[in-house]
Amino acid sequence: DLGRPGSALAPAVILFGSPGSGKGTQAKLLKRCLDGPHISTGDMLRTHIEAGDTIGRESEGVIRSGRLVSDELVNELVEQRIQQLDCCSGMILDGYPRTLNQAGVLLNLMQRLGFRPAVVYLIVDHERIVRRLSGRRQCPVCGTLYSLKTNPPKVAGVCDLDGTTLVTRDDDRESVIRARLEEYELQTRPLLDFFRKAGVSIFEIKGASRTPEEIANEICSELANAGAIQPGLSQRGTAVPNASV
C-alpha cells in the first residue's frame, strides 16, 4: 500500500524515444504535469555500482563483460523502486521496459500496485538526427568536441586549441548512427505492439523542429485530455534544460 487516497490510479508514463530524440530532456520537463520521480534503470544500476553493494557488483561484472543485465535483476530493481513513497502520485519510466518479458512484468506490477500506465513515444526525423550527430568532430589530442553546424572550428578541420586535425568518432559515423536508429526501432516496435494489444494508451509525439518546451507542452496536454494525468499541474512552470530534440 503506497498510501494513495481512495482508489485513484496514479499515472505511470513510459517514455520511448530513439537515440537523439531528447528523451532525457522530456523526462525532466514532464515534471510540470506529473508530480512524481523520473525513474531511469540506467541511473539505478550506476547508483548500485557506485555503492559497491551486491546488486552493484553483480551488475558491474555483467556490464564489463559486454552482456545485458538480466531481466530478473532489472525487474526486481523496478519493483522495489516504484513501491517507494515518492511514487505515490505517479512516475516517469525511462529506459524500462526494454524486452517483452520486462513489459509483461511491468503491466502486472501496475495492476497490482494501482498505477495507470501510458506510453509516450517520441517520433523524430532520423535524417535530422543523422545530420546532427554525423556533423560532430573531435580533437584526438585534447578531446574538444565541435559541431560543423553550431560550433565549427575557426579553421575547417583543425582544432582551435592545438592545431590538430579533427577526426570523426566511430560512434558519429553515419553508418553507425543509422544502424543504432534501426536497432532501436526493431527493439521498440514489438513493445509498442504489446502495449497496444494490452489496451495501454499510446501517445505518439512528433518532434519535428519544435523546441523541447513546445513538445513537453503537447505531451502534458495530450495526457491530460485523455485523462491519463490530472490536469492541475499542467501549467506549473519548469526550468528548461539546454537540449534539443
Side-chain angles (χ1 to χ4, degrees), residues 13-15 23-25 27-28 31 36-49 55 73-75 77-79 81-82 84 86-87 90-98 102:
V13 174
I14 305 164
L15 271 179
K23 182 161 57 72
T25 298
K28 294 178 177 67
K31 298 283 255 177
H38 166 209
I39 297 176
S40 163
T41 49
D43 288 346
M44 284 194 293
L45 287 171
R46 281 188 287 273
T47 298
H48 282 285
I49 290 172
I55 292 176
L73 178 57
V74 177
N75 290 337
L77 283 176
V78 171
E79 180 173 5
R81 179 65 185 89
I82 67 177
Q84 295 179 19
D86 62 340
C87 295
M91 73 189 79
I92 300 165
L93 287 166
D94 175 8
Y96 181 89
R98 290 184 183 273
Q102 292 177 6

Side-chain angles (χ1 to χ4, degrees), residues 130 134 170-181:
V130 169
S134 63
D170 287 342
D171 283 352
D172 289 338
R173 297 188 186 282
E174 181 174 336
S175 59
V176 174
I177 296 168
R178 291 189 183 280
R180 287 174 63 206
L181 291 171

